[in-house]
Amino acid sequence: MPVPKTEFDDVRSFDLYEPEDVLDDDMLYTIPELARLLQGLPVDAELSDFNESVFIDWAIPWMIYNQDDLVFAEPDDDEVVGLYGLAET
């Protein structure tokens, strides 16, 4: 059900980070790590399953939107789907 904005003291603008503002040029990250970075958290921050899921839901569209600025590699570890980082500019 929609909620009136007036019920909240803190309604903020919706800002998305540029990839180079979040990612290290020389590193590749998993999607959960990217999701944490986009929230201003360390890549190894402990999150509940719910929070991690929500953060990942935000990270994937961000990755698609910024696809021209990103690269990926397939890791040797079968437990990791992919690693993502900045494209060389």
Side-chain angles (χ1 to χ4, degrees), residues 6-48:
T6 56
E7 289 190 21
F8 297 90
D9 294 330
D10 185 22
V11 177
R12 295 171 264 166
S13 63
F14 188 74
D15 297 322
L16 292 177
Y17 294 107
E18 294 295 326
E20 59 272 5
D21 295 337
V22 180
L23 308 178
D24 184 309
D25 287 341
D26 299 323
M27 303 299 290
L28 294 172
Y29 305 89
T30 64
I31 291 175
E33 290 169 341
L34 281 171
R36 285 170 173 77
L37 291 172
L38 289 170
Q39 297 298 321
L41 298 171
V43 294
D44 59 352
E46 289 291 323
L47 298 175
S48 69

Side-chain angles (χ1 to χ4, degrees), residues 3 66 81:
V3 179
N66 290 293
V81 177

